[in-house]
Structure formats: structure tokens, C-alpha cells
Amino acid sequence: MKIALFATCIVDAMYPRTAQATVAILERLGHEVVFPEGQACCGQMHVNSGYFKEARTVVANHVEAFDTDDYDVAVAPSGSCVASVKHQHELVARRCGDTALEARAAVVGAKTYELSQLLTDVLGITNAAEQLGSYFPHKVTYHPSCHGMRLLRLEDRQLNLLASVGGIEMVELPEADQCCGFGGTFSMKNADVSSAMNADKAANICGTGAELCSGGDASCLLHIGGGLSRQGSDVGTLHFAEILASTLENPVSVTGEVKVKLAGSKR
Amino acid sequence: MSSNTFLGMPSLPVFGHGNLNATEAFPKAAHRELGNEQLRANLGHATHTIRDKRLKVVAELPDWEDMRNAGAAIKDATMANLPALLEQFEANFTARGGVIHWARDAQEANEIVTALIRETGETEVVKVKSMATQEIGLNEYLEEQGIAAYETDLAELIVQLDHDKPSHILVPAIHKNRSQVREIFLREMPVVDPNLTDEPAKLAEAARKHLRKKFLSAKVAVSGANFGLADTGTLTVVESEGNGRMCLTLPETLITVMGIEKLLPTWEDLEVFMQLLPRSSTGERMNPYTSLWTGVTPGDGPQNVHLVMLDNGRTAALADEMGRTALNCIRCSACMNVCPVYERTGGHAYGSTYPGPIGAILSPLLTGIKSEENNSLPYASSLCGACYDACPVKINIPEILVHLRGEDVDSKRAKVKVPTQMDLMMKGAEWAFAKGSHLSLLEKGLPLGTLAAGRDKVIKKLPGIAGGWTQSRDIPAPPTQSFRQWWAKEHKPGAAVVPGSTNSPEGEQA
């Protein structure tokens, strides 16, 4: 299968390893991965902040980059960005009265999958240890991000994939379905409430005794990890794609105070 | 509707007034409320309890989703046909001896109710818990006119005695615990046992003694209504304590204030809502006291029966194609019980009568987004979507929040020519995300971010509005190479790439 990777802006600029891990998993399964160079961002930040006029530019660019027959399906390692592509792009086009863009956005949206959706529903991965060779001998807890949980109805796909990784010890996160408080510009406009929500999330995570909190959205993990780091916690965050990509031969290592390193990287 | 030849239709929407308007922006009010440890503890405990109860009784019904769809469909149909249904309701209510009054806004409604009370010669009224009368500020208005209004719902009574405002639609005193209630009773009730303890039974007994005298002496009652049934002209009040029924049956005059959106087309439709409402609001299978009355029954109950039909911004909200489903709300408060923002700030932070997620959309829709006091409300959400999942009539609150943010941005853009920091940030991001090549160009600056982060590899302080982030959160140092750069340089399609190979992007991740 020819799979187009939508890396998302945060992953592209801040968490390149998450995208690299996504590529590694898909190629390990024998699929061809392409990266449409014109891509930039899903436009979620603009839409959710009410900047529809600006959002149209960003949505149009995404549609332009992905509205081709050059691939079978598109995938992104982010529940909220996929939810934006699937649920917001048509809305933005419609609001701006651009029916041509609306129709093209619908086509792109229908072809776009979140990573765990693609792995589970399309590629039939039920056991990461056996089918992907995933090995990650650490104690991990899991936060299901809101948009994946409620807009995409991912249910336990990410969690089940994580639980099937070799050597992993999963611990349940209390009040896992509670929002971490990120919410894009909400974290700036309502910084106090956002911080209070993040503090409760951090306390729940630390209470599990896990070494890491995993999840499927780089932005939420950035938020949670940023809060944990400020509190001086040893607990870090790591995208589930990187855990799936980790193998016995090429492990993702967790050492000291939350330094998550890919073995063999230069630092 | 801009045509002037369309007589009888106001050319400008009539927006709502009264207690709908917040007096300060949400972030400021939220900051203050977040500092109240007692409030947060009370709220956390109460919302969790109701939340768990609701989940349990909802899970019992295999057709809950069908029920929600039915509720939404009935309400959508009602709104699509509202003018005709209102006329049908009026004809049936009037035929059975009731009197209908139409109120364009809060002021008109308050004046009508006052005039009706004056006609009776009374200066005291008992009240059934009602959001509509909270919304128009009826109690305050009556007080100014020399009429005392006594709330009879226990929680509403607590709030009234404490000269406070409700903090929740269903549980107005959710922010107070029982020792606080005891203090309020001791301080404010004219006759109270000085040895009153904070046992719930003792507190309820004190309230009962206090209220009984009012029930037996009151000649006039004021209520709201949960539903109005168009095909029979019947009104409904749904409550838990029976105090409402005392007010609805004992006095000679009954004055009801009801928002025009509260109609249901038929009696049969009520069956759906009598299942949706109690399960969503109190987590009960069945509602304890459901009172229905149709006009006047000679020799039984109030003989003067009035209904004030309240607009107060509802037709303006109905005119908003994206926002109008907010009027489907049946005031169950399930959305606030699951909202992480409400749970931490409480209802007072929202300023308006309607708190929580529904308030964040309903209040600005009723007052208009240009109302400066309310334009921070659509931002009082992380868009987590828990409210949409909980809503028994499937109001897509997150989508309406985003729509209203768009309205707010457009309205400010038209008004103020100087761009704000947020405008500039969004403009910059528009450029960055307009083309892959733009983002690629910006990513060449990533090593600068690494440099800015310094030795501990985290950024601890950002300037301007982004500073809100760094008040409690670090930002990890960005990698020295973006994914895009790595792909362009190293990745050959078809070549196996595993993490840990030497062509990994650099940089620490936390």
C-alpha cells in the first residue's frame, strides 16, 4: 500500500522522531511511505481560535497537498489533526462559501486515518510484539486525548496496541478521560484554568508510578510533559508510535531524568 | 431579514438582558474562583458524584442513543415550526381559562409579573425554582417594587438567604457544603433552633419549618416551566422536593414565566423528555415530582392562571443557523457536571445566569456576541467535547463554541483596526502554514530555539500572550533538525529505516 504521511506541524518541527517512528512502523510492514512536500498544518489552531479567514488559507494548502491519486491512504500520528481534517476542513470551506474546496476537503478527509486507526482497522495489527517486533521494557501509563477519544472514537485502539508491545508494563491512569487542559490557544487565553487541569493530570500520572505517559497527540504530550518538567518530575511523555517503533535490537531508551533517546542518535 | 416591506418583523434582533450579562471577563473571574480551595473541593466532590450516577443510569438503557436522537429531532422540529406552535399553544392555553402575556425582553417580563401581582393586592409571593426568572432578575426587580419573593427550592433558598447567586443550573448551592449551609440558616432564618447541627436531615427540617408558613399563607406563586405542550396548552414543572407542587396548587394566583423555546409539539413528545431529563440531570430513572396543569380547573388549584412568554434574545438565537440548536437545551446541567473547566471554576466565573458549557454558548447567543461582557465566554473551553457526549439532546456545543469564536473575531476585526497580539500571531501562522516551503524556511531557525533553551534544554519563559503557557509549563528545546529536513536529506523511499539508525533526527525529547 502507498501511504502518504501527514507529519503535522508540531511533530514536524518539535517531535520529528514521532514521524520517523511512524515511517519505520509502516515500512517494517512493507508499505511505501510518501511525504507530500507541500504539506504544512491542518489549520486547527486557526479554526479553534475563530480565525476562519486565515484558516481557509491553511486548509486550502492541506487539501492541495493531499488531493492527489498518488497514494492509497493518508496517515497522521495525531488524533486532533486527523479530527480537524475530517471534521473541520469542510466546515471552514463552507463558512467561506468555497464549495469547490469543500468537495475536495471531503475527499481528502475520507482518505485520512489516525495512526492507530490505520494500524488496527486497515492493516490488521492486533499484536505489536509479534507483528511489528515492538519491544519496550518500561512501566507506562496512557492518556487518551480528547479529540481521538470523542471526535474519532478511537476507543482502545492506541491502548491495545501499546499493551501488546513486548516487555511493556501498562498501568491504568485514574480519570484518564479528563482533558489535560491544553486546548490550543485555550492554554494561553485561559492559562489559569488550563494550568489547574494540567496539574490534576500530572498528579494522576505521577500517582501511577509509571516511568512515562504515552498518548497519541504530540500537542497534549507537549502540554503534559511541560507541566511535569516544570514540577521537576522524572516522568516524561512519549508518543505511542515511538514505543511501537522500539525493538529489542534498536530500543528507545529511557534514562535518568526523562531523557528519551533513540539508541545511536548523536547525543 | 432586511426588507422594510416585511411589516411586523423587527429589522434588528432583540437581544436579551437581565442577568444574562457577565460583569467581567471569564479569565479574570476564573482566576479569582480558582483561588477558592473550599469551592474547588465542594465542586469536585459534587460533580463527580452526579457524573457517576448519570453514567450508571444511562448505561441501563440499551436505546439511550436512539432516545437522544429522538430528543434532538423533536426539538429541531419544534424550532423549525415555532411560530405556528406558539399560536397553537396560546389558543389551547387560553381556551382552558389561562391568560397569555408576551414579553420581548427581561424588562417587559418583569413589568408584566409586577403588574399581575399588584392586581392581587399582595406583597409576598412564593417561588418555584426557575431559570427564566433568574435570567430576567425577577427577584431583584420585585424587591425594588416592594414585593418579597421567597424561593422554596431548598438549594435556591440557601443561595437566596446567603444573598448569593446560583452556581449551577440544577444544584444552585453546589458550591456550598453543609457546615456552610448551617451557618447561613443560623444567621438568616428568622426562627431557627440555635442548636441546629449540619446533619442533612436537621437542615432539611429547619428549611421545612421555615417554608411551611409561606406555603400556607401565600396567595400568589411564581414559577417557570420545563415544557409547554402545544397540542393541549399544558405546562409542566419537573422537580425533586415537592415544594414546587405546593406553590403550584395552594395559592390563588399562579404566574408562570417560560422561554418561548420550551415548547414541545405534543403530549406524546413528553415521554421522550421524561426519560432523558431525570437520567441526565440527577442520575435518577424517574423524576420524583412532575406537575402538569392545563389552564384553570374550577374549584381546584389556582383560579387566576397566567403565563408570560419570554423572548429575551431567543428569536435572535434562532436566527443564527449554526447556533440555534443551543435553544434545544432542556436545562439538565449534564454538560456542566462533566466539564473540566466548570469543575474547577464553578458557575460564578461565567457571570451569566447560565454557567458551564451550555452557558458559554447560550449567553452570548441570547445577548449577541458583540456584548463585550459575554464575548470571553466562547473561549472558556478546551473543546474537549465531554459536554457534547453528555448532552441528552445532542447539542454540538464544541462546534457552536468555535462558530461563536469566529463571530467574535469577525466582530472585533470590523470594530478595531489595530491588530491584537493574537491577530498578529494568527497572521504569522497563516503565512507559515500557507505552503510547505514557508514552514520549511522557518524550520531552518530551529537551532536558534535549541540555543535559547540553554543548558537544561527547556524554555522556561516566553514573551507576550505565549507567556500564559510558561506560567506553569516548560517547553522542550526544539530538535536541531525537523522531520522535513531529515526526510529530504536522508530518507530514500523503499530503504528500511529503523529508529536508532545513524540518520535519526537529532535532539532530545521529553
Side-chain angles (χ1 to χ4, degrees), chain A residues 11-267:
Chain A
V11 167
D12 182 14
M14 294 294 290
Y15 294 97
R17 283 187 187 134
T18 298
Q20 194 208 10
T22 305
V23 175
I25 296 163
L26 297 174
E27 290 186 343
R28 205 180 291 164
L29 289 165
H31 300 285
E32 183 189 348
V33 179
V34 293
F35 180 77
E37 306 267 344
Q39 67 175 281
C41 168
C42 67
Q44 191 184 172
M45 178 177 84
H46 287 105
V47 181
N48 289 351
S49 306
Y51 286 76
F52 282 89
K53 194 167 81 65
E54 288 80 359
R56 185 193 182 182
T57 312
V58 182
V59 169
N61 178 67
H62 183 85
V63 169
E64 189 58 38
F66 282 89
D67 185 18
T68 72
D69 293 329
D70 290 350
Y71 64 92
D72 301 307
V73 294
V75 69
S78 163
S80 70
C81 304
V82 171
S84 172
V85 169
K86 281 174 130 38
H87 296 283
Q88 290 188 328
H89 283 194
E90 286 175 81
L91 188 80
V92 170
R94 192 154 59 240
R95 203 180 158 111
C96 298
D98 191 338
T99 46
L101 182 63
E102 188 184 341
R104 293 177 73 199
V107 173
V108 173
K111 280 172 85 174
T112 306
Y113 290 81
E114 183 277 333
L115 180 60
S116 73
Q117 256 177 346
L118 181 75
L119 288 173
T120 308
D121 303 353
V122 182
L123 305 180
I125 304 301
T126 51
N127 190 320
E130 281 178 18
Q131 293 167 287
L132 293 169
S134 311
Y135 182 75
F136 191 74
H138 297 280
K139 194 170 175 179
V140 176
T141 193
Y142 165 76
H143 166 69
S145 289
C146 301
H147 291 178
M149 181 166 52
R150 301 203 178 91
L151 280 168
L152 297 181
R153 301 285 170 204
L154 294 181
E155 294 172 352
D156 286 338
R157 285 174 180 81
Q158 294 174 353
L159 183 61
N160 289 343
L161 286 170
L162 279 170
S164 70
V165 167
I168 203 165
E169 184 192 345
M170 294 300 297
V171 283
E172 196 183 327
L173 178 64
E175 298 187 6
D177 65 349
Q178 290 284 296
C179 177
C180 71
F182 172 55
T185 49
F186 172 77
S187 61
M188 293 180 228
K189 288 202 167 200
N190 281 287
D192 295 320
V193 188
S194 168
S195 295
M197 288 160 73
N198 202 21
D200 291 345
K201 182 59 71 180
N204 278 324
I205 290 170
C206 293
T208 65
E211 293 166 77
L212 283 168
C213 176
S214 187
D217 267 272
S219 49
C220 307
L221 296 177
L222 176 77
H223 185 243
I224 294 169
L228 287 165
S229 162
R230 177 63 57 91
Q231 291 173 19
S233 167
D234 282 346
V235 183
T237 57
L238 190 63
H239 195 283
F240 80 91
E242 293 176 62
I243 295 179
L244 295 187
S246 176
T247 61
L248 191 59
E249 298 75 28
N250 285 297
V252 169
S253 67
V254 183
T255 55
E257 38 168 82
V258 208
K259 299 301 181 223
V260 179
K261 272 188 165 183
L262 287 166
S265 75
K266 288 169 193 161
R267 301 201 245 160

Side-chain angles (χ1 to χ4, degrees), chain B residues 205-259:
Chain B
E205 189 190 344
R208 188 175 291 128
K209 280 182 180 159
H210 172 77
L211 289 173
R212 182 122 312 183
K213 288 192 284 288
K214 306 287 180 204
F215 289 136
L216 294 174
S217 63
K219 299 276 189 289
V220 182
V222 175
S223 85
N226 290 87
F227 303 100
L229 311 177
D231 64 344
T232 54
T234 301
L235 290 173
T236 319
V237 159
V238 173
E239 39 128 13
S240 294
E241 296 169 0
N243 290 345
R245 182 167 294 175
M246 301 280 259
C247 300
L248 296 168
T249 51
L250 290 173
E252 292 161 8
T253 299
L254 172 59
I255 305 164
T256 302
V257 182
M258 178 178 82

Side-chain angles (χ1 to χ4, degrees), chain B residues 109 113 130 132-133 136 138 222-225 255-259 307-308 310:
Chain B
V113 175
S130 138
T133 60
I136 62 176
L138 180 65
V222 175
S223 85
I255 305 164
T256 302
V257 182
M258 178 178 82
L307 173 64
V308 181
L310 179 71

Side-chain angles (χ1 to χ4, degrees), chain B residues 403-467:
Chain B
H403 159 68
L404 289 173
R405 291 176 188 185
E407 298 283 294
D408 176 52
V409 168
D410 289 346
S411 119
K412 283 179 185 149
R413 241 200 275 257
K415 207 161 51 187
V416 188
K417 299 296 171 204
V418 186
T420 62
Q421 255 192 74
M422 186 61 85
D423 293 341
L424 293 172
M425 193 175 105
M426 291 294 160
K427 210 73 206 155
E430 181 192 10
W431 183 86
F433 301 147
K435 283 189 167 69
S437 57
H438 290 183
L439 187 56
S440 174
L441 188 69
L442 282 176
E443 283 169 357
K444 293 204 165 69
L446 284 174
L448 282 176
T450 316
L451 203 66
R455 277 176 57 200
D456 42 1
K457 304 210 175 55
V458 289
I459 296 167
K460 289 191 181 289
K461 198 162 172 55
L462 288 174
I465 43 172

Side-chain angles (χ1 to χ4, degrees), chain B residues 34 79 153 162 323 371 446:
Chain B
L34 277 165
M79 296 309 155
D153 174 84
D162 200 29
S371 158
L446 284 174

